[in-house]
Amino acid sequence: MDKFAKYFISNDQKTFFLENINLLLSTGISTSTALKSIEKTEKNAQMKTIIKQIVNDVEEGISLSKAVNNTEVFEKYIVDLIELGEKTGTLSKTLDLLIEERAKSEELKQKTRSAMLYPSIILSMSFIVAILISWFMLPKLSTIFTSLHIQLPLITKIVLNIGIFLSIYGKIFIPLLIITVYLFVYILFFNEHTKKYGQNILLKLPGIGNLLLEIEISRFSYLLKSLLSVGIPATEAIKTISSATPIYKYKKFYEYLVYSISEGNSFEKSFSSYKNIENLFSIPVQTLIISGEKSGKLEEILLVIDEKYAQKMDTSSKNLSIVLEPIFLIIVWFVVVAIALAIILPIYSLTANINN
């Protein structure tokens, strides 16, 4: 149903739908009846239309997972988990797992946004102030310094030329700069075909890279443990984890892991044969998973890893602002010092000439 692709359905609305369908199905009523009940109480017009289409599909004999997939609104891993639940007769448990996973992900997003809010405000305000100074003040200073016929330092010439350029072309240049930055960010971090390059950059950044690794290890451990506990085979569980992760490097590894395990290989052999695996899963994590597989206590070991990395994620998200703040402050300091020197040095030179 391509017409739904243009709809904007928030994560909260999707989660609310999943919570409601899970609650109603747990009472023993039919899927069709549960969906009709949700449709009646839904206040968002777009979501109501989508649920109505799901109801129509289900009443025509289509499975819930396919009906949800037909809307093209829900993420692939949501569809995969619902389909797994239907195949294994554990729909209620997989929906519980799905809702809990989304709650954990949303909580972490909120923590990360909060951690980056203050440094982002500092950087944005500094950029705006620098543009305003360069656009309105520097051209006037340029006129003053030119009329005094003094030799200007190189840094002053650079800064004044920037101001003169903005005074002439600012109305064109600034909008073009904003559009260029927007397109650059979109291509590097949001476009499906190119965002893997942006992810590679983020994974190498201090603070952010460690947080992303901790998130992914915690997600892998939690989902694999939960899916194995409801009787879903390891290969099917890892396929679902592959569709759940947004990080390209991990997605490729999970695809390889599914293939390797389906060929009869153990986690140990799969880890050892994958290039640069230590960049994705640390040696201690690999050791724990391998020992859990050999001892038959993989689920217990995965629970330990999940709890440990959940704590690490919490600490890293709190420390993220501490890591980013000095970097942004250095950038602000550099801009302020450059403008200050550009203004002060000619005045100092003029004062020296007057004294002489």
Side-chain angles (χ1 to χ4, degrees), residues 7 16 25 35 54 58 97 113 116 134 147 152 158 180 182 210 213-214 224 232 271 287 296 298 306 315 324 335:
Y7 284 11
F16 188 63
L25 289 178
L35 288 168
I54 296 174
V58 169
L97 165 63
R113 290 190 192 115
M116 295 186 68
S134 301
S147 65
L152 297 177
I158 293 172
T180 302
Y182 173 81
N210 288 336
L213 293 176
E214 290 162 4
L224 184 57
I232 294 173
F271 285 147
T287 303
L298 182 58
D306 175 40
T315 303
L324 292 177
V335 173

Side-chain angles (χ1 to χ4, degrees), residues 11-132:
N11 286 329
D12 287 342
Q13 289 171 325
K14 294 175 188 177
T15 302
F16 188 63
F17 168 76
L18 293 170
E19 288 173 344
N20 281 337
I21 191 69
N22 186 34
L23 177 62
L24 292 172
L25 289 178
S26 65
T27 64
I29 65 176
S30 67
T31 304
S32 177
T33 304
L35 288 168
K36 286 179 180 178
S37 176
I38 297 171
E39 181 194 350
K40 288 178 182 177
T41 57
E42 179 59 54
K43 296 181 180 179
N44 181 276
Q46 291 185 342
M47 192 66 192
K48 194 178 188 73
T49 304
I50 290 170
I51 297 172
K52 186 176 182 180
Q53 181 60 53
I54 296 174
V55 171
N56 292 337
D57 285 350
V58 169
E59 288 186 336
E60 289 177 5
I62 296 176
S63 66
L64 178 61
S65 58
K66 287 183 179 179
V68 169
N69 186 51
N70 285 344
T71 66
E72 297 186 358
V73 168
F74 292 86
E75 294 89 338
K76 186 177 183 300
Y77 82 95
I78 293 178
V79 177
D80 289 345
L81 274 172
I82 294 174
E83 185 178 5
L84 273 176
E86 290 174 324
K87 286 180 179 179
T88 58
T90 58
L91 182 57
S92 180
K93 290 182 179 179
T94 53
L95 284 172
D96 283 336
L97 165 63
L98 183 54
I99 292 164
E100 188 174 346
E101 191 276 333
R102 288 178 69 83
K104 289 177 66 175
S105 297
E106 190 60 32
E107 182 184 3
L108 183 63
K109 284 180 184 178
Q110 292 296 336
K111 289 180 180 179
T112 306
R113 290 190 192 115
S114 299
M116 295 186 68
L117 181 62
Y118 176 63
S120 298
I121 290 174
I122 292 176
L123 190 62
S124 299
M125 293 304 297
S126 301
F127 175 77
I128 292 170
V129 169
I131 290 294
L132 291 176

Side-chain angles (χ1 to χ4, degrees), residues 120-342:
S120 298
I121 290 174
I122 292 176
L123 190 62
S124 299
M125 293 304 297
S126 301
F127 175 77
I128 292 170
V129 169
I131 290 294
L132 291 176
I133 291 173
S134 301
W135 199 338
F136 296 105
M137 291 183 60
L138 293 182
K140 294 179 181 179
L141 288 174
S142 175
T143 303
I144 294 172
F145 289 149
T146 302
S147 65
L148 293 175
H149 303 290
I150 58 175
Q151 183 64 33
L152 297 177
L154 178 60
I155 188 171
T156 304
K157 291 179 180 179
I158 293 172
V159 171
L160 292 181
N161 285 333
I162 291 173
I164 294 170
F165 174 82
L166 288 177
S167 68
I168 300 172
Y169 302 106
K171 292 181 180 179
I172 300 173
F173 177 74
I174 297 301
L176 283 177
L177 177 63
I178 294 172
I179 293 170
T180 302
V181 171
Y182 173 81
L183 289 175
F184 177 78
V185 171
Y186 172 78
I187 292 171
L188 206 54
F189 299 108
F190 296 99
N191 184 273
E192 288 298 323
H193 302 292
T194 55
K195 67 180 182 180
K196 61 183 179 182
Y197 303 110
Q199 291 174 357
N200 289 340
I201 294 172
L202 291 176
L203 287 169
K204 293 177 182 177
L205 292 178
I208 297 177
N210 288 336
L211 179 59
L212 290 176
L213 293 176
E214 290 162 4
I215 291 171
E216 194 54 43
I217 292 174
S218 178
R219 189 204 320 274
F220 173 83
S221 304
Y222 171 74
L223 286 176
L224 184 57
K225 177 263 299 181
S226 301
L227 291 170
L228 290 176
S229 67
V230 296
I232 294 173
T235 51
E236 291 297 323
I238 298 170
K239 280 181 185 178
T240 302
I241 298 170
S242 177
S243 65
T245 181
I247 303 179
Y248 178 78
K249 280 188 173 182
Y250 280 96
K251 190 180 293 288
K252 295 299 291 182
F253 170 66
Y254 295 149
E255 290 172 358
Y256 165 79
L257 194 57
V258 169
Y259 166 77
S260 180
I261 292 176
S262 64
E263 289 292 307
N265 295 322
S266 63
F267 275 101
E268 183 175 15
K269 188 172 182 180
S270 301
F271 285 147
S272 63
S273 59
Y274 196 82
K275 186 178 180 181
N276 296 327
I277 181 61
E278 64 277 1
N279 293 334
L280 303 177
F281 285 82
S282 64
I283 299 298
V285 172
Q286 292 181 51
T287 303
L288 285 170
I289 293 174
I290 291 167
S291 64
E293 182 184 32
K294 289 181 177 179
S295 64
K297 297 181 179 180
L298 182 58
E299 291 177 29
E300 291 89 335
I301 294 295
L302 289 170
L303 177 61
V304 171
I305 296 172
D306 175 40
E307 291 175 347
K308 182 177 179 62
Y309 274 82
Q311 293 174 355
K312 282 191 171 187
M313 282 161 41
D314 189 53
T315 303
S316 296
S317 63
K318 291 177 182 177
N319 292 338
L320 185 59
S321 61
I322 299 174
V323 174
L324 292 177
E325 189 173 332
I327 297 174
F328 288 172
L329 287 176
I330 288 172
I331 296 173
V332 173
W333 174 84
F334 178 79
V335 173
V336 170
V337 168
I339 294 175
L341 286 176

